Amino acid sequence: MEERGNISIHTENIFPIIKKFLYSDHEIFLRELVSNAVDATQKIKRLSSIGEYKGELGELKVKVAVNKDAKTITISDNGLGMTAEEIKKYINQIAFSGATEFVERYKDASADKDQIIGQFGLGFYSAFMVAERVEIITKSYQEGAEPARWECDGSTEFSITTAERAERGTDVILHIAQDSEEFLETARIRTILDKYCKFLPVPVEFEGETINNPSPIWTKQPSELKDEDYKEFYKELYPFSEPPLFWIHLNVDYPFNLTGILYFPKVKNEFEIQRNKIQLYSRQVFITDEVKDVVPEFLMLLHGVIDSPDIPLNVSRSFLQADSSVKKINTYITKKVADKLAEIFRKDRETFEKNWDDISVFVKYGMLSDDKFYEKAKDFVLLQNTEGKYHTLEEYKNLVQANQTNKSEQLVLLYTTDADKQHAFVEAAQNRGYDVLKLDSIIDSHFIGLLEQKLEKTTLKRVDSETIDKLIEKDEAKESVLSEGEKEELKKVYEEAINNKNMTVDVAPLAPDDAPVVITLPEFMRRMKDMNRAGGGGMMFMGEMPDMYNVTINANHPLNQRVLKAEEKGQLARQAFDLALLSQNMLSGAALTTFVKRSFELMTKA
């Protein structure tokens, strides 16, 4: 007996629209059909567990088979199966009352296709993106049920006939269209299965082997797992990555369902390279690795998986839809990460310090982008000084407060962005008993501003932004061995010798053992240029402005007293200035050649 009919969609335009608009990536058809088979398998298992199905379950699994000669892909399960009536109910009645509106909407190719499709239960029909004809051969688990065959060629017409099938379950047979024959390649199918079906909760067999892990560790309780289990799972996810530093097991069932494992990888400062490493699943079906709405931006460098049936997806299950539950999940993840970091710091500070270079970028980025995270992280964020020692904010404040508070009662934190290049300035600060921090990562230019904003009566200065006396100004006035007239003359000599309008010359009484000439770039200007280079601050013009340096001539240095008495004052002054440039790697090209020649001349005269 054969029954023929029309799929109730009120129009013949529906299938071309499905094929063109349902999913942006046609490979999704396999995820949808395998997921349906898994659902059917889980349902029979559930019915058996509550006594509604009393037959033998057998080995529950889903099979995917490719026949290149017949140009077919078959997805088979031994799940619930369907009666002919159920086929008509679940397969044919796809549009219910809204099909006309659906078609009208999609006459416009620019319409928001992802907003509406899922309302019509079209997951099965993704098959028609790659198949010119689809068959379903199925037998229901219900006692006495007749096997049935459903067939459709992508038009609105279908046929239902009786079929031969001994066991309960369903075969979906796709007769692949000519323009989709790439999906008949076994390597292509294996890649798709590995991407979307790797952790489905029912074994999926392809070419005689099970290709998935039905019980990934995020589905288990943390108490069941050992450290080695987490490390092995990380290796399964990222076979070519270094082992993770540590991990966080997410497991919550109220006010939303969420499980998962987030790993802290070794990332150093590689901001962009590591992104898109968190995979989002819904009931163990892979959805996407674009998780920016679920996971806070600052944690996008983490690796791992998140699984939640409560995360709202668009109807093609390919993208997230932002809503209040996503925001709650985002907040929860932020709190869990902060709590885990605080716990590690509290229980094992030595390990925390050892891993700090790798995790500092997460912590600082989080403090910059989330006030609640800042409040938690301020107790475990670490500052490292040039001696390699680590301090919390409070510890560091207590360490330097007595010696590094200026005459305005401001605490001045000194830092270097390149300890080797700025060595002379670091050494000068240390000779005064000051401590110098290392703030040399990509994010530190922003982190410095955050600290000044959050910490009361505190300012940060780079060690080469001022002479040592001006970095932390005290009430101690230094005497100059030069008269006012001599200082004016010395200033004029240097201005003429330097002959550069971007260099502002000043004569000041520094300590006799300080450098004779000190070249500094003011903190404000350097910060503006740094922020401009980083793409922030809104002061793009700063990047085009030349560097405006301050040149401080040490009135108390014996060399400058000699300059005033020398016959060739300008030559000696230029030599001292070039030495200051050389000490900061600011001398090159013709200027360096001239300096070397002048050095030999002065040595010969001596």
Side-chain angles (χ1 to χ4, degrees):
M1 175 186 173
E2 177 178 355
E3 178 180 345
R4 303 190 69 81
N6 287 304
I7 297 170
S8 56
I9 52 177
H10 314 306
T11 175
E12 294 190 6
N13 291 340
I14 190 76
F15 280 108
I17 290 168
I18 289 172
K19 189 160 186 174
K20 190 170 183 181
F21 291 115
L22 180 53
Y23 299 101
S24 57
D25 193 340
H26 286 188
E27 69 179 29
I28 298 289
F29 82 91
L30 195 57
R31 180 191 72 183
E32 294 298 306
L33 296 177
V34 172
S35 295
N36 286 348
V38 166
D39 288 344
T41 307
Q42 288 182 302
K43 284 173 183 172
I44 194 69
K45 189 176 179 181
R46 170 70 175 157
L47 290 179
S48 177
S49 71
I50 62 176
E52 286 195 20
Y53 174 66
K54 303 190 187 311
E56 290 292 323
L57 283 178
E59 185 184 2
L60 296 175
K61 62 182 174 181
V62 173
K63 291 184 180 179
V64 178
V66 176
N67 187 326
K68 289 188 75 169
D69 294 332
K71 296 186 178 180
T72 61
I73 298 174
T74 302
I75 296 92
S76 306
D77 68 70
N78 53 349
L80 282 177
M82 289 181 286
T83 63
E85 287 303 311
E86 285 173 330
I87 290 176
K88 284 188 276 186
K89 180 178 178 182
Y90 296 119
I91 301 298
N92 296 341
Q93 304 288 332
I94 66 168
F96 306 106
S97 61
T100 304
E101 176 191 345
F102 177 89
V103 173
E104 286 302 314
R105 186 181 184 102
Y106 284 97
K107 283 181 179 176
D108 176 9
S110 67
D112 183 5
K113 58 182 177 293
D114 292 326
Q115 186 179 348
I116 193 169
I117 294 169
Q119 296 172 17
F120 304 96
L122 296 179
F124 165 75
Y125 283 90
S126 63
F128 286 98
M129 295 191 298
V130 299
E132 60 186 11
R133 181 163 59 92
V134 177
E135 293 178 77
I136 299 174
I137 300 173
T138 184
K139 182 181 180 184
S140 171
Y141 74 97
Q142 296 172 41
E143 198 171 332
E146 291 273 332
R149 175 196 301 269
W150 177 92
E151 190 170 351
C152 180
D153 63 2
S155 70
T156 58
E157 294 183 355
F158 68 87
S159 66
I160 296 180
T161 60
T162 55
E164 293 291 324
R165 185 181 175 100
E167 305 296 329
R168 65 158 207 276
T170 302
D171 291 345
V172 178
I173 305 164
L174 280 61
H175 297 265
I176 301 302
Q178 189 173 354
D179 64 359
S180 296
E181 289 185 2
E182 63 177 288
F183 295 107
L184 293 171
E185 299 297 327
T186 55
R188 182 82 167 96
I189 294 297
R190 183 174 287 278
T191 299
I192 298 170
L193 291 172
D194 188 60
K195 179 177 181 181
Y196 294 104
C197 306
K198 192 171 185 175
F199 299 110
L200 283 175
V202 171
V204 178
E205 186 180 294
F206 180 61
E207 292 193 306
E209 63 175 311
T210 302
I211 55 89
N212 63 319
N213 172 2
S215 301
I217 67 170
W218 80 77
T219 63
K220 301 173 183 178
Q221 292 296 319
S223 57
E224 302 174 44
L225 301 166
K226 298 176 181 176
D227 286 358
E228 202 53 44
D229 296 320
Y230 290 103
K231 290 175 184 175
E232 284 300 316
F233 184 62
Y234 187 79
K235 196 182 295 182
E236 187 177 348
L237 290 174
Y238 314 106
F240 304 108
S241 296
E242 287 186 74
L245 300 171
F246 47 86
W247 49 86
I248 299 169
H249 194 134
L250 304 170
N251 193 349
V252 63
D253 53 20
Y254 182 81
F256 46 79
N257 285 296
L258 177 76
T259 55
I261 316 287
L262 291 179
Y263 291 93
F264 278 75
K266 293 185 177 181
V267 297
K268 301 298 181 187
N269 292 324
E270 300 166 22
F271 259 76
E272 299 301 325
I273 298 172
Q274 305 286 339
R275 288 176 181 273
N276 298 335
K277 291 286 191 172
I278 297 177
Q279 301 170 9
L280 176 66
Y281 290 77
S282 180
R283 296 186 175 91
Q284 295 175 237
V285 180
F286 175 77
I287 303 300
T288 181
D289 54 13
E290 290 284 345
V291 295
K292 61 182 176 63
D293 293 317
V294 177
V295 177
E297 174 71 17
F298 73 93
L299 294 176
M300 291 288 283
L301 301 179
L302 296 182
H303 294 178
V305 299
I306 293 171
D307 190 329
S308 176
D310 292 335
I311 294 176
L313 304 172
N314 72 349
V315 292
S316 64
R317 295 203 293 180
S318 302
F319 302 97
L320 300 174
Q321 291 179 330
D323 76 347
S324 60
S325 63
V326 168
K327 186 167 177 55
K328 287 175 187 172
I329 290 170
N330 186 301
T331 302
Y332 168 79
I333 291 173
T334 301
K335 182 180 183 301
K336 285 289 288 185
V337 169
D339 290 346
K340 179 68 174 181
L341 290 169
E343 178 191 341
I344 295 171
F345 175 73
R346 191 173 61 253
K347 290 184 176 178
D348 188 358
R349 178 159 176 170
E350 185 179 346
T351 298
F352 191 86
E353 289 186 3
K354 179 182 166 188
N355 291 330
W356 180 248
D357 285 350
D358 291 296
I359 65 173
S360 63
V361 67
F362 297 112
V363 176
K364 290 175 182 177
Y365 193 5
M367 294 173 77
L368 281 159
S369 56
D370 189 311
D371 277 341
K372 287 183 179 176
F373 186 82
Y374 175 91
E375 286 305 313
K376 289 178 177 287
K378 65 182 172 59
D379 295 327
F380 57 73
V381 65
L382 295 179
L383 302 175
Q384 185 186 21
N385 67 11
T386 52
E387 304 297 314
K389 294 178 182 175
Y390 293 96
H391 305 274
T392 65
L393 291 176
E394 191 63 27
E395 290 168 353
Y396 196 70
K397 178 183 173 183
N398 293 334
L399 176 72
V400 302
Q401 193 159 29
N403 202 29
Q404 291 182 209
T405 300
N406 67 15
K407 64 183 181 182
S408 302
E409 296 187 354
Q410 282 270 321
L411 179 63
V412 181
L413 306 185
L414 303 179
Y415 69 95
T416 174
T417 56
D418 188 328
D420 288 334
K421 189 174 179 181
Q422 296 150 16
H423 181 267
F425 292 94
V426 172
E427 187 177 58
Q430 290 173 335
N431 287 342
R432 293 287 177 93
Y434 299 152
D435 196 81
V436 181
L437 294 171
K438 281 174 64 179
L439 292 172
D440 53 8
S441 74
I442 293 172
I443 203 169
D444 279 332
S445 60
H446 299 281
F447 184 62
I448 287 163
L450 178 73
L451 291 180
E452 288 186 329
Q453 175 191 333
K454 296 286 190 179
L455 303 179
E456 289 185 12
K457 301 187 75 173
T458 300
T459 186
L460 282 86
K461 290 185 179 181
R462 204 168 91 172
V463 284
D464 60 347
S465 63
E466 298 278 5
T467 59
I468 190 66
D469 288 336
K470 288 186 178 178
L471 278 176
I472 306 176
E473 291 187 291
K474 307 281 188 176
D475 278 326
E476 311 151 1
K478 277 200 168 58
E479 296 291 328
S480 171
V481 299
L482 300 181
S483 66
E484 289 302 316
E486 287 172 324
K487 286 199 289 187
E488 282 300 318
E489 183 184 354
L490 189 62
K491 179 178 178 179
K492 187 176 179 183
V493 168
Y494 270 97
E495 283 177 338
E496 290 176 358
I498 294 169
N499 191 26
N500 186 335
K501 63 183 180 181
N502 297 326
M503 300 280 182
T504 301
V505 177
D506 185 39
V507 178
L510 308 181
D513 57 353
D514 285 337
V517 180
V518 182
I519 302 171
T520 56
L521 181 66
E523 182 81 7
F524 170 78
M525 172 164 280
R526 185 194 50 72
R527 283 200 202 182
M528 290 303 103
K529 291 179 75 69
D530 285 350
M531 288 184 71
N532 183 66
R533 278 192 289 268
M539 300 187 69
M540 299 303 290
F541 69 90
M542 293 299 294
E544 299 165 8
M545 286 182 64
D547 290 333
M548 304 294 291
Y549 289 96
N550 290 332
V551 181
T552 302
I553 313 302
N554 185 356
N556 291 340
H557 197 283
L559 176 62
N560 287 321
Q561 295 160 35
R562 184 181 162 195
V563 167
L564 284 174
K565 297 173 184 175
E567 288 185 20
E568 297 179 359
K569 294 180 175 64
Q571 188 183 42
L572 195 57
R574 182 69 208 200
Q575 185 73 358
F577 174 71
D578 282 353
L579 280 165
L581 289 174
L582 189 65
S583 72
Q584 295 190 51
N585 293 319
M586 293 171 64
L587 195 62
S588 61
L592 179 58
T593 303
T594 301
F595 167 75
V596 172
K597 286 180 180 177
R598 190 190 318 114
S599 298
F600 285 130
E601 289 172 11
L602 289 170
M603 289 170 69
T604 303
K605 288 179 183 178

